[in-house]
Amino acid sequence: MMTTKAKVLGVEIEKAQQIHNDIARPENRLIRLEQIIGHEKKGIPPLIPMSRQGWVKGVKEGRHPQPVYLGNSRTPFYRLIEILDLVHGEYRSDEVA
């Protein structure tokens, strides 16, 4: 008798779980600016309490991580791992001024 592995959308369960685990890692996650500086009206608490203008200035000066843009989107996203490093005082810009 031949055993078959369970599949989800044509992907084996073990492979699907591995894909999920890879996506869930902080180094693979992207977050929006409002998740970093907070948004009072939407009830999003800040990781780093500061103004949007202060954040943008820090990005331009190299003190904050550079944004990532997905596809044709104009919406900036930030790598969660870089934001966590910034919160813990371990962020280092890759750019040399």
Side-chain angles (χ1 to χ4, degrees), residues 4 6 15-16 20 26 29 39 50 57 61 66 71-73 93:
T4 58
K15 182 69 174 170
H20 175 269
R29 290 195 54 207
H39 194 287
M50 65 182 334
K57 183 177 178 182
E61 293 174 354
Q66 293 295 309
N72 293 333
S73 173
S93 175

Side-chain angles (χ1 to χ4, degrees), residues 55-69:
W55 179 264
V56 171
K57 183 177 178 182
V59 169
K60 287 180 181 178
E61 293 174 354
R63 293 182 287 117
H64 300 152
Q66 293 295 309
V68 174
Y69 296 92

Side-chain angles (χ1 to χ4, degrees), residues 11-95:
V11 179
E12 294 178 7
I13 295 291
E14 292 86 13
K15 182 69 174 170
Q17 185 63 43
Q18 181 61 41
I19 292 169
H20 175 269
N21 290 342
D22 288 345
I23 292 170
R25 291 185 178 155
E27 60 268 19
N28 295 332
R29 290 195 54 207
L30 297 174
I31 60 175
R32 296 179 65 164
L33 181 57
E34 65 185 18
Q35 294 172 291
I36 300 168
I37 63 173
H39 194 287
E40 191 173 329
K41 289 182 180 179
K42 291 183 180 179
I44 301 173
L47 289 172
I48 303 171
M50 65 182 334
S51 69
R52 183 176 299 270
Q53 291 171 332
W55 179 264
V56 171
K57 183 177 178 182
V59 169
K60 287 180 181 178
E61 293 174 354
R63 293 182 287 117
H64 300 152
Q66 293 295 309
V68 174
Y69 296 92
L70 303 177
N72 293 333
S73 173
R74 297 184 330 163
T75 304
F77 291 87
Y78 296 88
R79 291 177 184 87
L80 178 59
I81 194 73
E82 292 179 345
I83 301 305
L84 294 176
D85 286 347
L86 183 64
V87 168
H88 296 295
E90 300 169 0
Y91 175 74
R92 300 288 179 255
S93 175
D94 292 336
E95 295 181 12

